[in-house]
Amino acid sequence: MTATNEENVLPMSLFMDLQRSGPIPLYFQVSQRIEKAILSGELPVGARLENEVGLAQRLGLSRPTVRRAIQDIVDKGLLVRRRGIGTQVVHGQVTRKVELTSLYDDLTNTQKVPSTRLLTFESVPADTTVAEKLACDVGTPTLHIRRVRLANDVPVAVMENWLPEEFLTMEPDDLVSHGLYQVLRSRGVTMRVARQHIGARKSTNEESELLDVERNAALLTMDRTAFDNSGRAVEFGQHCYRPDLYSFEVTLVEK
């Protein structure tokens, strides 16, 4: 099968051995077979699944059974529901270790193709919060950047950053083709440590549109201030992520 704009009709051979009277729930059997087709590449990244009604009719199953099977795969991050497009295959969820890396790097390291939609690139005076984070005076010019980060053309995060005045010479094109940390490293900045807060909240109407999720959908959030090897704050960021496509991983060690 190849990924196209058309719906991919799942071959009946995937479901020939469904055990309709056995102990294993039918939704689980259907889910396992679709997941296998995705992981094997039979359903490639970008492929659109046929709608639940059509699949249920072809398999002789109830729509709730098929809906639950598909939702299980959505929850694993292998499928995503997109308004106006339908149910589409994506690579597995990006799991980010809580380390000083950028989302651009994380996507590249997990064999995904990152891309950027630049929303804002402007000089703005630092407000109280930004001034505190960047250790500058209120009103000091800062570079304000806002982007949508996509993985394989699927929106994953809305990212907002403020940088100190010295970075006002940065070019917008730099952030379309590269990650922010890549650009900073190219300018001689060595990120050494960061303070980070991870949380969750509901999406705003604008974020729902940008991330292609329902209104008031749950989002992961991360606020971060990164410092270079001299202890100077070089960026303050406020990011939000789709939890069906992104998660954080923390390793805990007992002392």
Short mmCIF file of all heavy atoms in Angstrom, two decimals, residues 120-146 160-170 175 180 184 187 225 232-238:
data_model
loop_
_atom_site.label_atom_id
_atom_site.label_comp_id
_atom_site.label_asym_id
_atom_site.label_seq_id
_atom_site.Cartn_x
_atom_site.Cartn_y
_atom_site.Cartn_z
N THR A 120 5.16 33.89 14.59
CA THR A 120 5.58 35.21 15.10
C THR A 120 7.09 35.28 15.13
O THR A 120 7.76 34.34 15.57
CB THR A 120 5.03 35.46 16.52
OG1 THR A 120 3.61 35.36 16.51
CG2 THR A 120 5.44 36.83 17.03
N PHE A 121 7.63 36.38 14.67
CA PHE A 121 9.07 36.64 14.75
C PHE A 121 9.23 38.15 14.83
O PHE A 121 9.15 38.85 13.82
CB PHE A 121 9.79 36.09 13.51
CG PHE A 121 11.29 36.13 13.60
CD1 PHE A 121 12.00 35.02 14.04
CD2 PHE A 121 11.99 37.26 13.23
CE1 PHE A 121 13.38 35.04 14.12
CE2 PHE A 121 13.37 37.30 13.31
CZ PHE A 121 14.07 36.20 13.74
N GLU A 122 9.41 38.66 16.05
CA GLU A 122 9.37 40.11 16.23
C GLU A 122 10.14 40.54 17.47
O GLU A 122 10.36 39.74 18.39
CB GLU A 122 7.92 40.58 16.35
CG GLU A 122 7.21 39.99 17.55
CD GLU A 122 5.76 40.40 17.66
OE1 GLU A 122 5.31 41.22 16.86
OE2 GLU A 122 5.08 39.88 18.57
N SER A 123 10.52 41.79 17.48
CA SER A 123 11.14 42.39 18.66
C SER A 123 10.03 42.94 19.55
O SER A 123 9.15 43.67 19.08
CB SER A 123 12.08 43.52 18.25
OG SER A 123 12.56 44.21 19.40
N VAL A 124 10.06 42.55 20.84
CA VAL A 124 9.06 43.04 21.79
C VAL A 124 9.77 43.44 23.08
O VAL A 124 10.79 42.85 23.44
CB VAL A 124 7.98 41.97 22.10
CG1 VAL A 124 7.21 41.60 20.85
CG2 VAL A 124 8.61 40.74 22.73
N PRO A 125 9.24 44.43 23.79
CA PRO A 125 9.82 44.78 25.09
C PRO A 125 9.51 43.70 26.13
O PRO A 125 8.41 43.15 26.15
CB PRO A 125 9.14 46.11 25.43
CG PRO A 125 7.87 46.10 24.66
CD PRO A 125 8.13 45.33 23.41
N ALA A 126 10.47 43.39 26.96
CA ALA A 126 10.29 42.36 27.98
C ALA A 126 9.26 42.81 29.01
O ALA A 126 9.35 43.91 29.55
CB ALA A 126 11.62 42.07 28.66
N ASP A 127 8.26 41.94 29.25
CA ASP A 127 7.33 42.24 30.34
C ASP A 127 7.94 41.72 31.65
O ASP A 127 9.08 41.25 31.67
CB ASP A 127 5.95 41.63 30.07
CG ASP A 127 5.98 40.11 29.97
OD1 ASP A 127 6.97 39.48 30.38
OD2 ASP A 127 4.99 39.53 29.45
N THR A 128 7.18 41.78 32.72
CA THR A 128 7.73 41.40 34.03
C THR A 128 8.21 39.96 34.06
O THR A 128 9.31 39.66 34.56
CB THR A 128 6.66 41.61 35.12
OG1 THR A 128 6.22 42.96 35.10
CG2 THR A 128 7.23 41.29 36.50
N THR A 129 7.41 39.05 33.49
CA THR A 129 7.78 37.63 33.51
C THR A 129 9.03 37.38 32.70
O THR A 129 9.97 36.71 33.14
CB THR A 129 6.63 36.76 32.99
OG1 THR A 129 5.49 36.93 33.83
CG2 THR A 129 7.02 35.29 32.96
N VAL A 130 9.06 37.88 31.46
CA VAL A 130 10.21 37.66 30.58
C VAL A 130 11.46 38.30 31.15
O VAL A 130 12.56 37.71 31.12
CB VAL A 130 9.91 38.18 29.17
CG1 VAL A 130 11.16 38.12 28.29
CG2 VAL A 130 8.78 37.39 28.54
N ALA A 131 11.32 39.50 31.70
CA ALA A 131 12.48 40.18 32.30
C ALA A 131 13.05 39.37 33.45
O ALA A 131 14.28 39.25 33.60
CB ALA A 131 12.07 41.58 32.78
N GLU A 132 12.18 38.79 34.26
CA GLU A 132 12.65 37.96 35.38
C GLU A 132 13.37 36.72 34.87
O GLU A 132 14.43 36.35 35.37
CB GLU A 132 11.46 37.55 36.26
CG GLU A 132 11.86 36.64 37.42
CD GLU A 132 10.65 36.17 38.20
OE1 GLU A 132 9.53 36.64 37.92
OE2 GLU A 132 10.82 35.30 39.07
N LYS A 133 12.80 36.06 33.85
CA LYS A 133 13.39 34.83 33.34
C LYS A 133 14.73 35.08 32.64
O LYS A 133 15.66 34.27 32.76
CB LYS A 133 12.43 34.15 32.36
CG LYS A 133 11.11 33.72 32.97
CD LYS A 133 11.27 32.66 34.04
CE LYS A 133 9.92 32.19 34.56
NZ LYS A 133 10.06 31.16 35.61
N LEU A 134 14.83 36.17 31.89
CA LEU A 134 16.05 36.46 31.14
C LEU A 134 17.02 37.36 31.90
O LEU A 134 18.08 37.72 31.37
CB LEU A 134 15.69 37.10 29.79
CG LEU A 134 14.91 36.23 28.81
CD1 LEU A 134 14.66 36.98 27.50
CD2 LEU A 134 15.63 34.91 28.53
N ALA A 135 16.64 37.73 33.13
CA ALA A 135 17.50 38.57 33.97
C ALA A 135 17.86 39.88 33.27
O ALA A 135 19.03 40.28 33.18
CB ALA A 135 18.76 37.81 34.37
N CYS A 136 16.82 40.54 32.74
CA CYS A 136 17.02 41.84 32.10
C CYS A 136 16.00 42.83 32.66
O CYS A 136 15.11 42.45 33.43
CB CYS A 136 16.89 41.73 30.58
SG CYS A 136 15.24 41.26 29.99
N ASP A 137 16.11 44.08 32.28
CA ASP A 137 15.18 45.09 32.75
C ASP A 137 13.86 45.00 31.99
O ASP A 137 13.83 44.65 30.80
CB ASP A 137 15.77 46.49 32.56
CG ASP A 137 16.98 46.73 33.44
OD1 ASP A 137 17.05 46.13 34.53
OD2 ASP A 137 17.87 47.50 33.02
N VAL A 138 12.78 45.32 32.68
CA VAL A 138 11.48 45.42 32.01
C VAL A 138 11.58 46.46 30.90
O VAL A 138 12.14 47.55 31.09
CB VAL A 138 10.38 45.80 33.02
CG1 VAL A 138 9.06 46.07 32.29
CG2 VAL A 138 10.19 44.70 34.05
N GLY A 139 11.07 46.12 29.73
CA GLY A 139 11.13 47.04 28.60
C GLY A 139 12.30 46.80 27.67
O GLY A 139 12.36 47.37 26.57
N THR A 140 13.26 45.97 28.10
CA THR A 140 14.42 45.65 27.24
C THR A 140 13.94 44.91 25.98
O THR A 140 13.10 44.00 26.08
CB THR A 140 15.42 44.76 28.00
OG1 THR A 140 15.91 45.46 29.14
CG2 THR A 140 16.60 44.39 27.10
N PRO A 141 14.43 45.27 24.80
CA PRO A 141 14.02 44.54 23.60
C PRO A 141 14.41 43.06 23.68
O PRO A 141 15.52 42.72 24.11
CB PRO A 141 14.79 45.25 22.47
CG PRO A 141 15.12 46.60 23.01
CD PRO A 141 15.33 46.40 24.49
N THR A 142 13.50 42.20 23.29
CA THR A 142 13.77 40.77 23.22
C THR A 142 13.22 40.24 21.90
O THR A 142 12.34 40.86 21.28
CB THR A 142 13.11 39.98 24.38
OG1 THR A 142 11.68 40.12 24.28
CG2 THR A 142 13.58 40.49 25.73
N LEU A 143 13.74 39.10 21.47
CA LEU A 143 13.22 38.45 20.27
C LEU A 143 12.12 37.48 20.67
O LEU A 143 12.35 36.54 21.45
CB LEU A 143 14.34 37.70 19.54
CG LEU A 143 13.92 36.93 18.28
CD1 LEU A 143 13.31 37.87 17.24
CD2 LEU A 143 15.10 36.17 17.68
N HIS A 144 10.92 37.72 20.18
CA HIS A 144 9.76 36.87 20.47
C HIS A 144 9.48 35.99 19.26
O HIS A 144 9.29 36.49 18.15
CB HIS A 144 8.55 37.75 20.79
CG HIS A 144 7.29 36.97 21.03
ND1 HIS A 144 6.06 37.36 20.55
CD2 HIS A 144 7.07 35.80 21.69
CE1 HIS A 144 5.15 36.49 20.91
NE2 HIS A 144 5.73 35.53 21.59
N ILE A 145 9.46 34.67 19.49
CA ILE A 145 9.25 33.70 18.42
C ILE A 145 8.10 32.79 18.82
O ILE A 145 8.01 32.34 19.97
CB ILE A 145 10.51 32.82 18.21
CG1 ILE A 145 11.74 33.68 17.95
CG2 ILE A 145 10.29 31.82 17.08
CD1 ILE A 145 13.03 32.92 18.15
N ARG A 146 7.23 32.50 17.86
CA ARG A 146 6.14 31.54 18.09
C ARG A 146 6.04 30.65 16.86
O ARG A 146 5.99 31.14 15.73
CB ARG A 146 4.81 32.25 18.37
CG ARG A 146 3.73 31.34 18.92
CD ARG A 146 2.65 32.17 19.61
NE ARG A 146 1.62 31.32 20.19
CZ ARG A 146 0.42 31.12 19.65
NH1 ARG A 146 0.10 31.72 18.50
NH2 ARG A 146 -0.46 30.34 20.24
N GLU A 160 6.57 28.79 22.01
CA GLU A 160 6.75 30.24 22.13
C GLU A 160 8.02 30.50 22.94
O GLU A 160 8.20 29.92 24.02
CB GLU A 160 5.54 30.86 22.81
CG GLU A 160 5.51 32.37 22.78
CD GLU A 160 4.14 32.93 23.10
OE1 GLU A 160 3.32 32.19 23.69
OE2 GLU A 160 3.88 34.09 22.77
N ASN A 161 8.90 31.36 22.41
CA ASN A 161 10.18 31.63 23.06
C ASN A 161 10.50 33.11 23.04
O ASN A 161 10.08 33.84 22.15
CB ASN A 161 11.32 30.89 22.35
CG ASN A 161 11.22 29.39 22.47
OD1 ASN A 161 10.50 28.75 21.71
ND2 ASN A 161 11.93 28.82 23.42
N TRP A 162 11.26 33.52 24.06
CA TRP A 162 11.81 34.86 24.13
C TRP A 162 13.32 34.74 24.31
O TRP A 162 13.80 33.94 25.13
CB TRP A 162 11.23 35.64 25.31
CG TRP A 162 9.78 35.98 25.16
CD1 TRP A 162 9.24 37.16 24.72
CD2 TRP A 162 8.66 35.13 25.46
NE1 TRP A 162 7.88 37.10 24.73
CE2 TRP A 162 7.48 35.86 25.18
CE3 TRP A 162 8.53 33.83 25.94
CZ2 TRP A 162 6.21 35.33 25.36
CZ3 TRP A 162 7.26 33.29 26.12
CH2 TRP A 162 6.12 34.04 25.83
N LEU A 163 14.08 35.51 23.53
CA LEU A 163 15.54 35.47 23.59
C LEU A 163 16.09 36.86 23.89
O LEU A 163 15.45 37.87 23.57
CB LEU A 163 16.12 34.97 22.26
CG LEU A 163 16.07 33.47 21.98
CD1 LEU A 163 14.65 33.03 21.65
CD2 LEU A 163 17.00 33.10 20.83
N PRO A 164 17.28 36.94 24.50
CA PRO A 164 17.88 38.24 24.82
C PRO A 164 18.12 39.10 23.59
O PRO A 164 18.14 38.62 22.45
CB PRO A 164 19.21 37.85 25.48
CG PRO A 164 18.98 36.48 26.02
CD PRO A 164 18.07 35.81 25.03
N GLU A 165 18.32 40.38 23.84
CA GLU A 165 18.44 41.39 22.78
C GLU A 165 19.50 41.06 21.75
O GLU A 165 19.33 41.36 20.56
CB GLU A 165 18.74 42.74 23.43
CG GLU A 165 18.79 43.91 22.48
CD GLU A 165 18.99 45.23 23.21
OE1 GLU A 165 19.20 45.21 24.45
OE2 GLU A 165 18.92 46.28 22.54
N GLU A 166 20.58 40.42 22.15
CA GLU A 166 21.68 40.15 21.21
C GLU A 166 21.27 39.23 20.05
O GLU A 166 21.94 39.18 19.02
CB GLU A 166 22.87 39.51 21.95
CG GLU A 166 22.56 38.11 22.47
CD GLU A 166 23.69 37.56 23.32
OE1 GLU A 166 23.68 37.84 24.53
OE2 GLU A 166 24.54 36.85 22.77
N PHE A 167 20.14 38.52 20.22
CA PHE A 167 19.71 37.59 19.18
C PHE A 167 18.70 38.21 18.21
O PHE A 167 18.13 37.51 17.37
CB PHE A 167 19.13 36.33 19.81
CG PHE A 167 20.13 35.55 20.62
CD1 PHE A 167 20.03 35.50 22.00
CD2 PHE A 167 21.17 34.90 19.99
CE1 PHE A 167 20.96 34.80 22.74
CE2 PHE A 167 22.11 34.19 20.73
CZ PHE A 167 22.01 34.15 22.12
N LEU A 168 18.51 39.53 18.29
CA LEU A 168 17.59 40.20 17.37
C LEU A 168 18.09 40.15 15.93
O LEU A 168 17.33 40.40 14.99
CB LEU A 168 17.38 41.66 17.80
CG LEU A 168 16.53 41.87 19.06
CD1 LEU A 168 16.56 43.32 19.48
CD2 LEU A 168 15.10 41.41 18.81
N THR A 169 19.37 39.83 15.75
CA THR A 169 19.92 39.73 14.40
C THR A 169 19.63 38.37 13.75
O THR A 169 19.98 38.14 12.59
CB THR A 169 21.45 39.94 14.43
OG1 THR A 169 22.04 39.00 15.34
CG2 THR A 169 21.77 41.36 14.89
N MET A 170 19.01 37.47 14.49
CA MET A 170 18.65 36.17 13.94
C MET A 170 17.68 36.34 12.78
O MET A 170 16.87 37.27 12.76
CB MET A 170 18.03 35.31 15.05
CG MET A 170 17.88 33.84 14.74
SD MET A 170 17.17 32.94 16.17
CE MET A 170 18.51 33.06 17.35
N LEU A 175 14.94 29.62 11.54
CA LEU A 175 14.07 28.84 12.40
C LEU A 175 13.05 28.02 11.62
O LEU A 175 12.35 27.20 12.20
CB LEU A 175 13.35 29.76 13.39
CG LEU A 175 14.29 30.39 14.42
CD1 LEU A 175 13.61 31.52 15.15
CD2 LEU A 175 14.76 29.33 15.41
N LEU A 180 15.70 25.71 17.20
CA LEU A 180 16.24 26.87 17.90
C LEU A 180 17.60 26.58 18.51
O LEU A 180 18.53 27.39 18.41
CB LEU A 180 15.26 27.31 19.00
CG LEU A 180 15.73 28.46 19.91
CD1 LEU A 180 16.03 29.71 19.09
CD2 LEU A 180 14.68 28.76 20.97
N LEU A 184 21.17 28.46 17.96
CA LEU A 184 21.97 29.04 19.05
C LEU A 184 23.37 28.45 19.08
O LEU A 184 24.36 29.17 19.27
CB LEU A 184 21.26 28.78 20.38
CG LEU A 184 19.96 29.56 20.61
CD1 LEU A 184 19.32 29.17 21.94
CD2 LEU A 184 20.21 31.07 20.57
N ARG A 187 25.69 29.94 16.69
CA ARG A 187 26.12 31.29 17.07
C ARG A 187 27.05 31.26 18.27
O ARG A 187 27.31 32.29 18.90
CB ARG A 187 24.89 32.16 17.37
CG ARG A 187 23.97 32.33 16.15
CD ARG A 187 22.67 33.01 16.53
NE ARG A 187 22.83 34.41 16.85
CZ ARG A 187 22.65 35.41 16.02
NH1 ARG A 187 22.29 35.17 14.76
NH2 ARG A 187 22.81 36.65 16.40
N THR A 225 13.59 27.70 31.11
CA THR A 225 14.62 28.73 30.98
C THR A 225 15.96 28.03 30.88
O THR A 225 16.33 27.26 31.76
CB THR A 225 14.62 29.69 32.18
OG1 THR A 225 13.31 30.22 32.38
CG2 THR A 225 15.60 30.83 31.95
N ARG A 232 24.39 32.49 32.06
CA ARG A 232 23.51 33.52 31.50
C ARG A 232 22.28 32.88 30.87
O ARG A 232 22.38 31.89 30.13
CB ARG A 232 24.28 34.32 30.45
CG ARG A 232 23.48 35.40 29.74
CD ARG A 232 24.28 35.99 28.61
NE ARG A 232 24.73 34.96 27.69
CZ ARG A 232 24.79 35.12 26.37
NH1 ARG A 232 24.46 36.27 25.83
NH2 ARG A 232 25.22 34.14 25.60
N ALA A 233 21.10 33.44 31.13
CA ALA A 233 19.87 32.93 30.51
C ALA A 233 19.88 33.27 29.02
O ALA A 233 20.07 34.43 28.64
CB ALA A 233 18.65 33.54 31.17
N VAL A 234 19.69 32.24 28.17
CA VAL A 234 19.75 32.46 26.72
C VAL A 234 18.40 32.23 26.05
O VAL A 234 18.23 32.60 24.88
CB VAL A 234 20.81 31.57 26.06
CG1 VAL A 234 22.20 32.01 26.47
CG2 VAL A 234 20.60 30.10 26.39
N GLU A 235 17.45 31.67 26.75
CA GLU A 235 16.09 31.54 26.18
C GLU A 235 15.10 31.18 27.27
O GLU A 235 15.41 30.48 28.21
CB GLU A 235 16.04 30.50 25.06
CG GLU A 235 16.27 29.07 25.48
CD GLU A 235 14.99 28.24 25.54
OE1 GLU A 235 13.89 28.77 25.24
OE2 GLU A 235 15.10 27.05 25.90
N PHE A 236 13.89 31.71 27.10
CA PHE A 236 12.75 31.35 27.95
C PHE A 236 11.65 30.86 27.03
O PHE A 236 11.31 31.53 26.04
CB PHE A 236 12.28 32.54 28.77
CG PHE A 236 10.94 32.34 29.43
CD1 PHE A 236 10.70 31.26 30.26
CD2 PHE A 236 9.90 33.24 29.21
CE1 PHE A 236 9.45 31.06 30.85
CE2 PHE A 236 8.66 33.07 29.80
CZ PHE A 236 8.44 31.97 30.62
N GLY A 237 11.12 29.68 27.30
CA GLY A 237 10.12 29.11 26.42
C GLY A 237 8.87 28.65 27.15
O GLY A 237 8.94 28.20 28.30
N GLN A 238 7.73 28.78 26.48
CA GLN A 238 6.46 28.23 26.95
C GLN A 238 5.88 27.41 25.81
O GLN A 238 5.49 27.97 24.78
CB GLN A 238 5.50 29.36 27.37
CG GLN A 238 5.96 30.13 28.59
CD GLN A 238 4.97 31.19 29.01
OE1 GLN A 238 4.34 31.85 28.18
NE2 GLN A 238 4.82 31.38 30.31
#
